[in-house]
Amino acid sequence: MSSETPPIKVDVWSDVACPWCYIGKRKFEAGSGLFAGGGEGRGVEIEYHSFELSPDTPVDFQGGEAEFLATHKGIPEAQAQQLLDRVTGIAASVGLDYDYDRLQHTNTVLAHEAIHFAKSQGRQLDFMERLFKAYFIDGRHVGKVDDLADLGAEIGLDRAELKSALEEHTHLADVREDQQAAVEYGIQGVPFFVIDGKYGVSGAQEAQTFAQVLEQVWGERSAAPEEVSA
């Protein structure tokens, strides 16, 4: 296949407050690395899209993560803590040190607006990584204008421009457009990966699974010209 073949486009619906989304990010990165290691000028282009798991969450949630999860899922708090312990262990297996004792649960709509601002500056992937780490590892708040502006500045975004965009909700329509697209795709949970616009992969699958799907798409691209000429 020509080295000029465009990269495989991967659209990812995700929420900053979704523990499986950060885990899925790491597993997809590992899978795309396996795929790219096959040579032939293989490339993957990733674009993130907004999905709010709990849009009714207050900006300043009073309580711990186990309490929130228990209320949200209608389960005993002890069971919720067991779920958090399990996900913490899985996160550790991909090199992520989740700290639920420090985590500040919050509404994520402003974070999604900030992600779209970063996208307009060509820094979406960098900012996604920073926000995930801020939320799950660093215990930073990701639901307020000033906090998000600070985090953006840490990766080189213009703090004043980001703050203004958040205060004016410049990118709220972009967030809603992503959410509507999720409805049209039938996406009900995240992470959700749409690969090459035709294959959907739900959840934080293993790296090998992602690599196999990418390999399949690449193989179909290779076969397409032969099918046309036959």
Side-chain angles (χ1 to χ4, degrees):
M1 186 178 292
S2 170
S3 60
E4 297 179 358
T5 300
I8 295 175
K9 178 68 184 299
V10 180
D11 294 283
V12 187
W13 272 261
S14 179
D15 192 357
V16 173
C18 167
W20 295 105
C21 290
Y22 200 8
I23 293 169
K25 183 176 185 293
R26 281 292 182 273
K27 290 188 174 185
F28 181 82
E29 288 166 348
S32 61
L34 291 173
F35 163 73
E40 303 179 49
R42 300 169 176 210
V44 177
E45 176 188 344
I46 303 170
E47 180 177 351
Y48 277 89
H49 300 275
S50 305
F51 191 101
E52 291 180 90
L53 284 172
S54 303
D56 57 343
T57 301
V59 172
D60 287 306
F61 176 76
Q62 301 300 315
E65 189 67 6
E67 181 183 343
F68 174 84
L69 189 60
T71 302
H72 187 65
K73 290 186 172 292
I75 59 177
E77 192 165 329
Q79 184 179 347
Q81 185 60 55
Q82 290 176 350
L83 292 175
L84 293 179
D85 291 342
R86 175 174 173 265
V87 77
T88 298
I90 294 172
S93 74
V94 294
L96 300 174
D97 187 17
Y98 282 9
D99 189 344
Y100 278 110
D101 291 335
R102 298 173 63 196
L103 186 148
Q104 299 185 62
H105 201 92
T106 187
N107 188 289
T108 58
V109 67
L110 271 181
H112 285 296
E113 292 181 47
I115 291 164
H116 274 282
F117 173 85
K119 176 184 172 182
S120 74
Q121 305 297 307
R123 300 296 303 279
Q124 187 195 45
L125 298 186
D126 295 329
F127 201 38
M128 281 298 307
E129 178 65 27
R130 185 65 194 100
L131 288 177
F132 275 135
K133 183 176 183 293
Y135 187 73
F136 285 105
I137 297 173
D138 298 338
R140 301 277 291 274
H141 204 295
V142 300
K144 298 178 180 179
V145 170
D146 282 329
D147 295 276
L148 289 165
D150 288 343
L151 289 166
E154 288 179 14
I155 67 160
L157 293 174
D158 187 293
R159 188 185 188 283
E161 289 184 7
L162 173 52
K163 182 177 180 180
S164 176
L166 293 174
E167 290 173 339
E168 297 174 13
H169 298 291
T170 304
H171 296 283
L172 181 58
D174 298 318
V175 174
R176 300 307 183 213
E177 184 177 335
D178 279 353
Q179 293 171 327
Q180 182 56 40
V183 171
E184 293 170 1
Y185 270 119
I187 298 171
Q188 297 181 326
V190 288
F192 194 92
F193 302 79
V194 176
I195 300 176
D196 220 28
K198 55 185 177 181
Y199 292 106
V201 179
S202 179
Q205 302 294 329
E206 295 302 320
Q208 190 61 44
T209 299
F210 287 121
Q212 289 172 352
V213 176
L214 292 168
E215 191 71 47
Q216 179 178 342
V217 170
W218 194 255
E220 291 173 356
R221 285 185 174 188
S222 300
E226 298 176 4
E227 294 170 359
V228 170
S229 60

